Amino acid sequence: MKITLLLPDMSDDTYNRTKVIYDLLINNYQVEVVSVNQKKNSSKLFKSSFAEYKKIDFDLGKIVNDLKKNITGDIIYAIRAKPTSFGFAMSLKSSKKIPVIVDISAKEIYNTFPYSNNTLKSMFLSLPFFNNTNSFIYTWILEKRIKMADEITVSSNTLQRSYGGTFISSSSNEDLFDSDLYKRDEIRETMGWEDYIVIL
């Protein structure tokens, strides 16, 4: 079985969560990573981390067809509930007749511009950004469709209470962040932090 991880962008935030999901799947499944690219971002980190990686440049007129041609998985696993990942995945679910899983690592409407606590105000403020696929109005509409996914995974207990689904915690590389590898006092001196109390 092959699983396609569909990414909304090539940001660090998207990369980190994708790597967690990818590492969980790669030992048991064939996995391809497909990202939608709206900006001139470097894809070096993604290409070096994922064996099968494809970057699809965003063109509203042909993005869905481009994704249809490039997505070869039996399941689409949308990373983040954004229109450029989960939204496109749901379009492909209808046309390609394949299941969709969505991974939720944040309430996406809180991350859209413009956002206020008042939904009507946010919709009104988002009208000038009607051509932005990830604007508030499209993200809000998509939020109502999350339960139409075949499966849901979430990155926190709080999100699980909101959306249900299976909790998959984000993790750190314990080899890279092994405290025995680093000399605390030397690092603090290099950073000029000897006299500071540092809280993490």
Side-chain angles (χ1 to χ4, degrees):
M1 178 183 287
K2 186 173 188 179
I3 299 173
T4 300
L5 298 182
L6 180 57
L7 284 53
D9 53 48
M10 295 188 300
S11 66
D12 289 344
D13 185 42
T14 298
Y15 170 82
N16 292 330
R17 186 63 180 171
T18 302
K19 188 77 170 84
V20 169
I21 303 293
Y22 180 87
D23 288 345
L24 287 172
L25 295 173
I26 197 64
N27 291 327
N28 298 305
Y29 303 99
Q30 191 179 354
V31 183
E32 70 177 356
V33 177
V34 177
S35 74
V36 175
N37 180 43
Q38 292 189 343
K39 299 174 185 171
K40 291 184 178 177
N41 289 324
S42 170
S43 56
K44 285 181 185 174
L45 179 62
F46 290 81
K47 283 180 179 174
S48 64
S49 300
F50 308 120
E52 195 173 339
Y53 173 74
K54 301 171 192 169
K55 177 177 80 170
I56 311 296
D57 288 328
F58 182 87
D59 180 334
L60 190 57
K62 58 180 197 153
I63 184 69
V64 174
N65 283 332
D66 286 346
L67 289 169
K68 272 186 195 175
K69 288 176 197 168
N70 285 281
I71 288 177
T72 59
D74 304 299
I75 295 171
I76 299 175
Y77 201 144
I79 304 297
R80 303 180 67 177
K82 293 178 78 109
T84 47
S85 53
F86 180 53
F88 289 143
M90 291 304 284
S91 295
L92 296 169
K93 174 182 167 74
S94 302
S95 59
K96 289 186 80 145
K97 308 293 185 207
I98 57 176
V100 168
I101 302 169
V102 61
D103 181 67
I104 302 170
S105 55
K107 283 200 173 239
E108 293 297 342
I109 56 169
Y110 297 157
N111 295 324
T112 59
F113 175 81
Y115 174 77
S116 79
N117 288 327
N118 184 306
T119 302
L120 288 175
K121 181 180 176 185
S122 293
M123 285 192 177
F124 177 75
L125 291 172
S126 71
L127 289 176
F129 306 97
F130 202 71
N131 61 346
N132 179 348
T133 315
N134 287 322
S135 71
F136 177 87
I137 195 160
Y138 299 124
T139 306
W140 182 85
I141 291 168
L142 193 61
E143 173 110 352
K144 306 301 178 193
R145 299 185 69 198
I146 286 174
K147 293 195 173 166
M148 294 173 70
D150 295 281
E151 294 292 339
I152 299 169
T153 59
V154 292
S155 65
S156 73
N157 292 320
T158 302
L159 291 168
Q160 191 176 40
R161 284 192 291 274
S162 296
Y163 300 105
T166 303
F167 170 60
I168 298 175
S169 88
S170 291
S171 56
S172 299
N173 182 331
E174 291 181 359
D175 296 326
L176 179 64
F177 293 106
D178 182 354
S179 59
D180 291 338
L181 299 176
Y182 305 97
K183 296 178 179 169
R184 176 183 178 272
D185 293 336
E186 284 181 23
I187 292 169
R188 285 176 63 89
E189 185 178 342
T190 302
M191 301 297 288
W193 291 352
E194 307 98 315
D195 298 326
Y196 290 96
I197 294 172
V198 180
I199 301 171
L200 176 63

